[in-house]
Amino acid sequence: MRAARQVRVSGSAALPDFLRARGVEPALVFEKAEMVPAEIETADKWIAMDRLASLFHVSAGELDDPWFGIRFGWATPIEDFGILSHVVLNAPDVRTGLENMARYAREYSLNALTFAGLESQ
């Protein structure tokens, strides 16, 4: 059996506070997603991509917000993404920042397919 793709929790650790600030009890969201808050309690943890996607899907439903991903992304400080933040924020220009993200993200957090569209030409 093939192992599930793993992603680093990173900024997703801020999800409980994000939900609480919008009047949604995080415990309810985690229960509906069949998860426990400890799975994303720190940015340095790793989680199966499908579990995190399920948590985001339930969060969007509980908030009744089809734009949840964008709003949560905006609310998450870029510094919460660790070394990936560093290589993007310290790039001399946007192009280099995106190239750095494409280069390091596949090793750091996600799989290569996710960032294939950002490959340098």
Side-chain angles (χ1 to χ4, degrees):
M1 180 177 204
R2 190 170 157 184
R5 290 191 175 149
Q6 299 281 309
V7 293
R8 188 172 174 272
V9 169
S10 289
S12 300
L15 182 61
D17 291 337
F18 180 85
L19 293 169
R20 241 182 252 106
R22 285 150 185 80
V24 172
E25 180 52 46
L28 172 69
V29 172
F30 280 92
E31 182 180 329
K32 286 185 175 186
E34 298 179 357
M35 293 178 63
V36 295
E39 291 181 77
I40 66 160
E41 69 189 350
T42 62
D44 290 332
K45 284 189 164 201
W46 290 79
I47 186 170
M49 187 182 291
D50 61 340
R51 292 186 60 73
L52 189 59
S54 174
L55 182 62
F56 286 175
H57 179 76
V58 171
S59 296
E62 289 301 309
L63 290 167
D64 192 26
D65 185 358
W67 300 101
F68 161 77
I70 292 172
R71 291 187 220 290
F72 182 52
W74 282 338
T76 305
I78 194 166
E79 294 82 12
D80 287 359
F81 293 94
I83 192 70
L84 187 56
S85 302
H86 179 77
V87 299
V88 172
L89 292 174
N90 288 292
D93 53 53
V94 173
R95 179 185 180 93
T96 305
L98 289 172
E99 288 172 347
N100 287 346
M101 182 169 51
R103 182 179 320 128
Y104 295 106
R106 78 173 58 90
E107 298 301 325
Y108 177 70
S109 179
L110 302 172
N111 62 68
L113 296 176
T114 304
F115 287 95
L118 294 177
E119 292 295 327
S120 297
Q121 300 300 319

